[in-house]
Amino acid sequence: MGINTQALMAQLLVGLINGSFYALLSLGLAVIFGMLNIINFAHGALYMMGAFVAYFLLSIFGLNYWFALVLAPIIVGAFGMILERTMLQRLAGLDHLYGLLLTFGLALIIQGVFQNFFGSSGLPYAIPTALQGGTNLGFMFLPTYRAWVVVFSLTVCLLTWFLIEKTRLGAYLRAATENPTLVRAFGVNVPRMITLTYGLGVGLAALAGVLSAPINQVRPLMGADLIIVVFAVVVIGGMGSIMGSIVTGFMLGVLEGLTKYFYPEASNTVVFVFMVLVLLLKPSGLTGRAA
Amino acid sequence: MTSITENADIRQPARSGSEHSIAIAAMAVILIVLPWTGVYPYFIMQALCFALFACAFNLLIGYGGLLSFGHAMFLGTAGYITAHAIKEWGFPPELGILAGTLAAAALGVLAGLVAIRRQGIYFAMITLALSQLLYFVYLQAKFTHGEDGIQSVPQGKLFGLFNLSQPLTLYYVVLAFFLFGFLIIYRAINSPFGEVLKSIRENEPRAISLGYRTDQYKLLAFILSGTLAGLAGAVKVLVAQNASLTDVHWTMSGEVVLIVLLGGLGTIFGPVVGAFIIIAMQQYLAGFGQWVLVIQGVIFVVCVLAFRRGIVGEIAYYTGRSL
């Protein structure tokens, strides 16, 4: 069997792009879970909101992609912080599962409202002019925008890792994850930190939404199926380590890309099958520390 | 840390056994006379299928503390197998239902072995991912006819005697299956097995230290729950005469969570009450498009924030009975 390098490279690139989204989303889920003990089912809906905010900024205010890249995560993050302050906060001390149920309800509401106004079809969002076109690398054609998405996502992921693992703020955050009462006794405003953490996680999801808008079109249900794949990614990687989330996200994207080339029928299911294998062979997940 | 089922706190009076018998008998009588009161039989049958589905789901979450977010896989799998067996292989309805239910049981074994390897929140995510895996399998498989589903499944004659194309005959057959499943679940909850299950829900490490192999209990509960959810899916094929992707989609898994949450997690009658309310709501709001989803979302949020006992749980709390 001959291997078509062009097609293989193209699928690998698609895999890396999906991997970027998996990494950004599972990273946000892990950060939120660490502080709030909640699995944020609304993550897919908030990712979709990020893409819609980018679309509105362009079509209503004439603000282009670069503004959206900064503003959409802030706007959606602020929306997330309102959700946290008004609703999620009341779940403190209850079983984790209530957080899942509440955020599932929020996802239904957000997606339902957008579906009512925009139907189920996609709205186009053009690639910004600076990132149009591509480069012929000889063995493959590399579209500039796609390369940008991978590099930018990776940078954001690593910055988040740096923020949490290497800075003073991150140290407070990790300490509050371990023992919130003690950290409060040291005079750190833990409830505010929890709200900001939720905002950060949600902002990462919205950022992924903006990045995906020119590639996948802007659709109300664009996050609905994605979030289930991301859950599988989280089960595979475990939520114990930030770097683990990033690596697992990119790795599974590439695995999916390879499957699209070698056995396209299984490309929808390969991540789930991989999850089953991991659970059978190493139940605690690849990075180990999961409960 | 409180348990997922606040209804577990309700003290069970010693007389609850006989009270339950009376309440179950009353429910059966109401359901027997209901089609004669002018209520559309098709609506009650649909609600009964969902009620059985919800009772099966409740066995797992309400008594075992395990939240499955992929229970549609059992409903849908049994539906597809039953529909295929009846339509393509010419099975009589009783064998079709048996085939579908057994398929769900087999799936329960396989999915259970994978899912019980992790607890709590991970269990929910794993079951959701497994059901999405099956969704894509059914989307691509030939025998399910993809987006079209298996249409116009003949209803046939049960045991060669009861003509199921007669609405009233079909109704009582569906009711019989519902009561059969309901009583199995009631019996399971009130057996020594059910007591161990409740102890796992309350404190799994302690149950382990008392010498119970909790994984085996959880697996058994998962299989039983999946099998009965499958029975609901198989019977639903006879009512709706089709099997489609809707029944394996994650929205269906979410719907059964909603039914049980609204009716009352860990209550005996909650899932039945919840099923009738949600199915009625869907009938009345069918013309409002996606607003149904929004309303379901709002019910989720309200239930979690302010109404965690659910309808039957609240009644049980204020009357001091276990319902």
Side-chain angles (χ1 to χ4, degrees):
Chain A
M1 190 179 84
I3 287 181
N4 178 345
T5 323
Q6 287 275 348
L8 178 61
M9 288 297 161
Q11 292 299 359
L12 265 181
L13 186 60
V14 171
L16 275 175
I17 291 197
N18 284 334
S20 312
F21 299 147
Y22 298 160
L24 281 172
L25 289 170
S26 64
L27 182 62
L29 282 183
V31 172
I32 291 172
F33 185 74
M35 280 299 276
L36 285 86
N37 269 326
I38 278 176
I39 282 292
N40 188 29
F41 215 130
H43 223 59
L46 295 162
Y47 156 87
M48 175 272 288
M49 278 182 80
F52 264 95
V53 168
Y55 175 81
F56 292 141
L57 286 174
L58 187 65
S59 59
I60 299 175
F61 302 103
L63 292 171
N64 68 21
Y65 179 83
W66 305 105
F67 285 99
L69 217 45
V70 178
L71 289 178
I74 294 174
I75 294 169
V76 179
F79 175 73
M81 287 193 267
I82 294 171
L83 293 182
E84 198 277 331
R85 270 290 148 107
T86 52
M87 295 183 210
L88 296 177
Q89 214 164 55
R90 296 159 182 245
L91 299 183
L94 292 176
D95 193 292
H96 298 178
L97 298 175
Y98 281 118
L100 188 73
L101 298 180
L102 178 69
T103 49
F104 179 71
L106 291 174
L108 286 183
I109 296 173
I110 297 170
Q111 279 162 0
V113 167
F114 275 86
Q115 264 186 294
N116 272 303
F117 288 109
F118 300 96
S120 288
S121 53
L123 303 166
Y125 189 92
I127 294 175
T129 32
L131 298 173
Q132 279 170 0
T135 325
N136 196 339
L137 298 179
F139 57 94
M140 71 174 296
F141 179 77
L142 181 68
T144 313
Y145 186 73
R146 293 180 178 235
W148 154 256
V149 169
V150 175
V151 173
F152 183 69
S153 306
L154 192 58
T155 314
V156 171
C157 284
L158 293 177
L159 280 177
T160 312
W161 171 81
F162 185 81
L163 174 77
I164 291 171
E165 298 289 338
K166 301 288 171 198
T167 64
R168 179 172 283 268
L169 181 68
Y172 284 151
L173 209 84
R174 281 178 287 129
T177 305
E178 295 291 326
N179 192 337
T181 322
L182 193 64
V183 175
R184 273 187 101 158
F186 289 148
V188 178
N189 188 341
V190 172
R192 190 203 289 157
M193 218 152 80
I194 291 177
T195 308
L196 287 173
T197 306
Y198 191 73
L200 171 71
V202 167
L204 287 172
L207 184 71
V210 180
L211 290 173
S212 103
I215 299 177
N216 296 324
Q217 292 201 320
V218 182
R219 290 180 299 115
L221 291 181
M222 63 195 284
D225 284 343
L226 181 65
I227 188 66
I228 304 179
V229 182
V230 174
F231 279 175
V233 172
V234 163
V235 171
I236 292 167
M239 284 184 292
S241 109
I242 299 289
M243 200 46 106
S245 301
I246 302 171
V247 172
T248 315
F250 276 98
M251 188 191 75
L252 288 170
V254 169
L255 178 70
E256 213 178 51
L258 288 176
T259 314
K260 268 195 193 115
Y261 178 79
F262 287 105
Y263 189 57
E265 290 82 357
S267 60
N268 284 328
T269 47
V270 64
V271 174
F272 302 121
V273 173
F274 191 73
M275 178 195 81
V276 170
L277 291 177
V278 169
L279 285 171
L280 292 177
L281 299 174
K282 195 169 182 304
S284 54
L286 290 183
T287 53
R289 284 202 299 160
Chain B
M1 181 68 59
T2 58
S3 148
I4 180 81
T5 48
E6 308 213 335
N7 293 325
D9 306 338
I10 299 165
R11 255 176 264 114
Q12 296 216 3
R15 54 176 202 261
S16 69
S18 62
E19 276 188 356
H20 284 165
S21 310
I22 295 168
I24 293 171
M27 178 182 74
V29 170
I30 293 172
L31 290 171
I32 287 169
V33 297
L34 205 53
W36 302 93
T37 59
V39 185
Y40 186 42
Y42 181 78
F43 161 73
I44 320 171
M45 286 191 272
Q46 224 195 345
L48 284 176
C49 293
F50 277 92
L52 179 55
F53 182 30
C55 287
F57 170 80
N58 187 40
L59 171 67
L60 209 51
I61 173 89
Y63 299 94
L66 295 167
L67 172 60
S68 160
F69 230 105
H71 245 47
M73 65 180 151
F74 301 112
L75 187 81
T77 297
Y80 273 131
I81 300 297
T82 301
H84 188 76
I86 292 178
K87 195 178 172 188
E88 303 295 329
W89 298 338
F91 274 33
E94 64 277 8
L95 285 184
I97 288 176
L98 185 66
T101 311
L102 287 179
L107 176 63
V109 175
L110 295 177
L113 283 172
V114 174
I116 59 160
R117 291 178 156 253
R118 297 276 276 276
Q119 275 102 46
I121 211 85
Y122 282 100
F123 182 86
M125 290 193 283
I126 292 167
T127 45
L128 176 61
L130 288 175
S131 80
Q132 188 77 347
L133 170 62
L134 274 174
Y135 174 83
F136 283 118
V137 169
Y138 290 137
L139 180 66
Q140 288 169 356
K142 283 273 184 320
F143 85 99
T144 61
H145 301 282
E147 305 272 355
D148 296 335
I150 304 177
Q151 303 273 358
S152 41
V153 179
Q155 288 160 315
K157 286 189 173 171
L158 191 76
F159 302 117
L161 290 171
F162 306 106
N163 183 0
L164 299 183
S165 47
Q166 294 284 330
L168 267 183
T169 314
L170 180 63
Y171 176 80
Y172 286 111
V173 168
V174 172
L175 179 57
F177 275 115
F178 165 75
L179 289 173
F180 170 72
F182 185 89
L183 289 173
I184 289 181
I185 292 167
Y186 179 76
R187 186 71 195 87
I189 294 166
N190 292 288
S191 67
F193 165 73
E195 294 301 324
V196 177
L197 212 55
K198 288 172 212 167
S199 77
I200 294 173
R201 174 190 68 194
E202 294 307 317
N203 194 336
E204 185 170 356
R206 196 158 175 187
I208 294 172
S209 73
L210 285 171
Y212 290 106
R213 294 171 190 272
T214 57
D215 272 359
Q216 288 179 3
Y217 282 89
K218 287 197 284 187
L219 181 61
L220 195 57
F222 192 77
I223 296 169
L224 184 58
S225 173
T227 308
L228 290 169
L231 178 64
V235 173
K236 191 168 162 291
V237 168
L238 294 181
V239 177
Q241 289 190 270
N242 68 49
S244 72
L245 282 172
T246 326
D247 292 348
V248 262
H249 198 243
W250 57 263
T251 43
M252 184 60 80
S253 298
E255 211 165 291
V256 73
V257 181
L258 179 65
I259 287 173
V260 176
L261 185 64
L262 179 64
L265 286 163
T267 61
I268 298 164
F269 298 99
V272 183
V273 173
F276 274 83
I277 294 174
I278 295 294
I279 299 303
M281 191 190 85
Q282 284 175 348
Q283 298 258 325
Y284 286 113
L285 300 178
F288 289 90
Q290 301 305 330
W291 289 115
V292 177
L293 279 184
V294 178
I295 293 168
Q296 290 192 347
V298 171
I299 298 175
F300 257 109
V301 171
V302 171
C303 278
V304 171
L305 288 180
F307 197 60
R308 281 186 289 277
R309 289 192 193 96
I311 294 170
V312 172
E314 288 289 342
I315 295 173
Y317 181 75
Y318 285 108
T319 57
R321 283 155 207 272
S322 100
L323 288 170

